């Protein structure tokens, strides 16, 4: 019953806040980019909440528990740095395309190529689907354990709640509810971490070397193993994260132009509080010798074991807030991507929004089906779609830096990255091989740029101009 109560209360708060503080949009510009004048603090909280996906809540605790300081470091630090690296590119895309909505639309305008737009649409859409699926999977597992109801029922319930408020006013609903969700997350961290420390003797209960006691130092031999097996492929995927995710480009187009840098900087700082706090719970679990049934849920199980039963209600509320903040951002992202479809671009605002809402429903259906595939884990999905984002990173960065390629170069580079880098990474994930995962990650990032430049030079030699 606790899980059901959390869902009901959560839904009432989010729908109520959206209805009260925003209005149902009939203007597409408002629905997709909030009239391009969103404020610093609300945008920062939205950026932080959107970046707090399932791995930020669970992988951070799991890696701290299993791999100590190196595990948490190689998850937390790249997560922060990637948002900072993104700032100058977010500013530049807004300056170059002040009326833009999507990254794929920007690349289409720069290269005047339907093929470039289509390959970007494919990458951004697949990423949005997988990202949504992993949030539903993580949230569904928790609620299924709490309520005894099947996983598929819980994933559908989460999907329905996210859609119920997102479809009211689009990006404005997402930013508003993200801000509320971020408040819940920060309050929970401030309460639960000191409480867990107090129950277990304070700082002395923290074990920085993981449950095995072998991972105390970042640059030790064991620390290097963590870096090669987890840290490097994770960092590559995370650095590419915002660049291959329409959620962040959409916010770059939605925030007041002079507030973009401050919003992302503050968002990175707010984000850091949550995975760091979850990591401390992982250190505490290691310090007291706690053995979870599922290491991927060690923070959730620790809270269940340490605190009074009623505490699980606000903790689940925090977790669901973190997960659905990404889901509602993905819903807004997929809705904005429909504007790049020729058949949709010529419609009037009201019709565009109807098509966009239909795309939200289709996204959730596919994501629910994926989340219910037997054997899927949050960490494996995180690593895979983190690498998927890297396929478009270099072409995007090079274009924004005015290092231009031909349209064929962009397409050839990204396709090569897909067909070479991703399979190698997937193979390494199945084998749990750090070497293959790292190689796959590097090839995924580098091939799109290297092949793109090689093809561009070959076309230039044949007389093809670079736009």
């Amino acid at each position: 019953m606790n899980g059901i109560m959390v869902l009901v209360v959560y839904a009432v708060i989010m729908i109520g806040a959206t209805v009260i503080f925003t209005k149902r949009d009939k203007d597409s510009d408002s629905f997709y980019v909030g009239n391009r004048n969103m404020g610093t603090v609300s945008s920062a909280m939205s950026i932080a909440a959107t970046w707090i996906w399932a791995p930020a809540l669970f992988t951070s605790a799991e890696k701290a528990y299993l791999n100590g300081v190196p595990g948490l470091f190689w998850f937390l630090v790249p997560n922060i740095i990637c948002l900072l690296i993104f700032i100058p590119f977010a500013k530049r895309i807004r300056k170059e395309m002040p009326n833009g909505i999507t990254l794929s639309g920007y690349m289409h305008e720069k290269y005047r190529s339907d093929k470039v737009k289509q390959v970007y649409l494919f990458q951004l859409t697949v990423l949005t689907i997988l990202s949504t699926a992993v949030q539903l999977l993580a949230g569904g597992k928790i609620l299924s354990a709490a309520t005894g109801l099947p996983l598929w029922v819980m994933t559908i319930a989460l999907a329905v709640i996210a859609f119920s408020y997102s479809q009211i006013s689009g990006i404005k609903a997402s930013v508003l509810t993200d801000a509320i969700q971020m408040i819940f997350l920060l309050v929970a961290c401030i309460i639960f971490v000191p409480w867990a420390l107090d129950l277990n003797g304070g700082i002395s209960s923290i074990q920085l070397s993981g449950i095995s006691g072998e991972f105390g130092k970042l640059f030790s031999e064991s620390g290097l193993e963590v870096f090669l097996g987890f840290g490097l492929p994770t960092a590559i995927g995370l650095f590419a994260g915002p660049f291959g995710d329409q959620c962040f480009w959409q916010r770059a187009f939605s925030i007041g132009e002079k507030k973009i840098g401050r919003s992302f900087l503050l968002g990175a700082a707010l984000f850091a509080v949550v995975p760091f706090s979850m990591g401390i719970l992982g250190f505490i679990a290691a310090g007291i010798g706690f053995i979870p049934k599922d290491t991927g849920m060690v923070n959730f199980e620790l809270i269940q074991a340490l605190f009074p039963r009623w505490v699980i209600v606000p903790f689940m509320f925090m977790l669901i807030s973190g997960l659905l903040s990404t889901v509602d951002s993905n819903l807004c992202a997929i809705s904005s991507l429909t504007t790049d479809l020729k058949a949709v671009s010529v419609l009037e605002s009201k019709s565009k929004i109807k098509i966009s809402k239909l795309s939200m429903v289709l996204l959730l259906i596919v994501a629910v089906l994926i989340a219910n595939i037997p054997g899927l884990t949050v960490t494996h999905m995180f690593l895979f779609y983190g690498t998927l984002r890297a396929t478009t990173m270099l072409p995007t960065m090079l274009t924004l830096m005015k290092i231009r390629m031909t349209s064929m170069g962009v397409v050839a580079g990204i396709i090569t990255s897909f067909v070479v880098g991703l399979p190698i990474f997937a193979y390494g994930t199945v084998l749990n091989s750090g070497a293959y995962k790292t190689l796959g990650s590097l090839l995924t990032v580098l091939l799109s740029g290297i092949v793109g430049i090689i093809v561009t030079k070959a076309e230039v030699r044949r007389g093809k101009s670079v736009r």
Side-chain angles (χ1 to χ4, degrees):
M1 289 301 293
N2 284 344
I4 295 173
M5 182 178 68
V6 169
L7 282 178
V8 171
V9 173
Y10 179 92
V12 169
I13 292 174
M14 297 305 164
I15 296 171
T18 304
V19 170
I20 293 170
F21 296 106
T22 68
K23 63 180 181 179
R24 190 175 292 274
D25 275 315
K26 295 182 180 179
D27 174 59
S28 59
D29 199 55
S30 177
F31 189 84
Y32 299 127
V33 288
N35 296 317
R36 309 180 191 279
N37 60 359
M38 293 193 170
T40 300
V41 176
S42 60
S43 296
M45 296 180 81
S46 178
I47 290 164
T50 298
W51 201 227
I52 296 171
W53 35 341
L57 294 168
F58 298 107
T59 302
S60 53
E62 178 186 18
K63 299 309 291 184
Y65 176 76
L66 293 175
N67 302 130
V69 169
L72 180 59
F73 179 90
W74 290 117
F75 180 81
L76 177 62
V77 174
N79 258 302
I80 298 168
I81 293 176
C82 71
L83 291 176
L84 303 181
I85 293 174
F86 186 69
I87 292 173
F89 295 95
K91 289 181 176 180
R92 185 165 294 180
I93 199 171
R94 181 62 174 275
K95 184 177 181 180
E96 291 190 16
M97 195 178 183
N99 296 316
I101 295 175
T102 66
L103 172 62
S104 44
Y106 168 80
M107 294 299 288
H108 180 246
E109 181 175 286
K110 289 298 178 182
Y111 290 95
R112 302 296 179 187
S113 166
D114 287 340
K115 289 183 179 179
V116 170
K117 182 174 72 173
Q118 288 163 4
V119 77
Y120 266 82
L121 274 174
F122 175 79
Q123 184 269 317
L124 293 170
T125 301
V126 172
L127 175 76
T128 303
I129 292 170
L130 295 179
S131 174
T132 303
V134 78
Q135 316 312 317
L136 297 180
L137 171 62
K141 278 187 173 182
I142 293 171
L143 290 169
S144 179
T147 63
L149 294 173
L151 173 65
W152 68 268
V153 173
M154 293 294 95
T155 54
I156 291 174
L158 290 170
V160 169
I161 292 171
F163 176 77
S164 66
Y165 60 85
S166 299
Q167 58 86 30
I168 295 174
S169 54
I171 189 68
K172 290 189 292 185
S174 179
V175 170
L176 171 65
T177 54
D178 284 350
I180 297 171
Q181 291 156 346
M182 194 64 207
I183 291 170
F184 290 146
L185 287 159
L186 293 173
V187 169
C189 290
I190 292 169
I191 292 173
F192 291 130
V193 172
W195 194 357
L197 287 170
D198 183 63
L199 289 174
N200 293 282
I203 299 297
S204 61
S205 64
I206 291 178
Q207 182 164 308
L208 299 177
S209 54
I211 187 64
S212 68
E214 299 176 358
F215 299 96
K217 295 181 180 180
L218 187 62
F219 299 108
S220 64
E221 183 177 345
S222 58
L224 183 60
E225 290 177 6
V226 175
F227 168 70
L228 293 175
F230 173 78
L232 185 56
T234 298
I236 293 169
L238 286 171
F239 288 156
F243 292 92
D245 193 333
Q246 170 59 15
C247 291
F248 294 94
W249 296 109
Q250 189 174 15
R251 277 154 181 76
F253 288 121
S254 302
I255 302 168
E257 187 171 358
K258 294 182 179 179
K259 301 174 182 177
I260 292 174
R262 294 195 301 272
S263 297
F264 276 92
L265 183 61
L266 179 58
L270 291 171
F271 162 83
V273 174
V274 177
F276 181 72
S277 298
M278 295 300 101
I280 292 176
L281 292 178
F283 290 143
I284 293 172
I288 64 175
F290 179 74
I291 306 298
K293 294 178 182 178
D294 180 357
T295 57
M297 300 284 178
V298 63
N299 50 347
F300 178 67
E301 292 188 30
L302 181 70
I303 293 296
Q304 282 184 308
L306 290 182
F307 295 155
R309 291 190 64 182
W310 64 265
V311 175
I312 204 64
V313 173
F315 190 77
M316 283 196 298
F317 207 91
M318 178 198 77
L319 294 176
I320 292 168
S321 293
L323 296 172
L324 287 191
S325 63
T326 302
V327 174
D328 63 53
S329 295
N330 286 337
L331 292 176
C332 291
I334 200 70
S335 71
S336 68
L337 290 172
T338 62
T339 63
D340 287 330
L341 302 176
K342 288 183 178 179
V344 176
S345 62
V346 298
L347 297 175
E348 60 179 9
S349 289
K350 191 174 181 180
S351 298
K352 280 184 181 179
I353 293 173
K354 284 183 179 179
I355 297 295
S356 294
K357 290 180 181 180
L358 176 60
S359 73
M360 291 180 174
V361 174
L362 293 176
L363 167 65
L364 290 172
I365 291 172
V366 176
V368 166
L369 292 174
I370 292 173
N372 284 278
I373 295 174
L376 279 182
T377 68
V378 170
T379 299
H380 284 164
M381 284 192 70
F382 152 63
L383 287 171
F384 181 76
Y385 77 75
T387 305
L388 172 66
R389 290 180 300 202
T391 57
T392 56
M393 179 181 177
L394 280 184
T396 301
M397 294 178 73
L398 291 172
T399 301
L400 284 164
M401 293 167 64
K402 301 188 185 302
I403 301 174
R404 303 299 299 278
M405 295 182 282
T406 60
S407 59
M408 183 57 68
V410 173
V411 173
I414 293 173
I415 290 177
T416 304
S417 181
F418 269 115
V419 300
V420 177
L422 277 178
I424 293 174
F425 179 82
Y427 180 72
T429 300
V430 171
L431 294 182
N432 195 28
S433 167
Y436 277 107
K437 285 191 287 187
T438 299
L439 177 62
S441 297
L442 287 171
L443 288 175
T444 303
V445 171
L446 297 176
L447 284 176
S448 59
I450 293 172
V451 172
I453 291 172
I454 291 173
V455 171
T456 294
K457 288 183 176 179
E459 287 198 293
V460 168
R461 284 197 295 269
R462 293 198 301 267
K464 174 74 174 182
S465 63
V466 179
R467 287 185 180 274

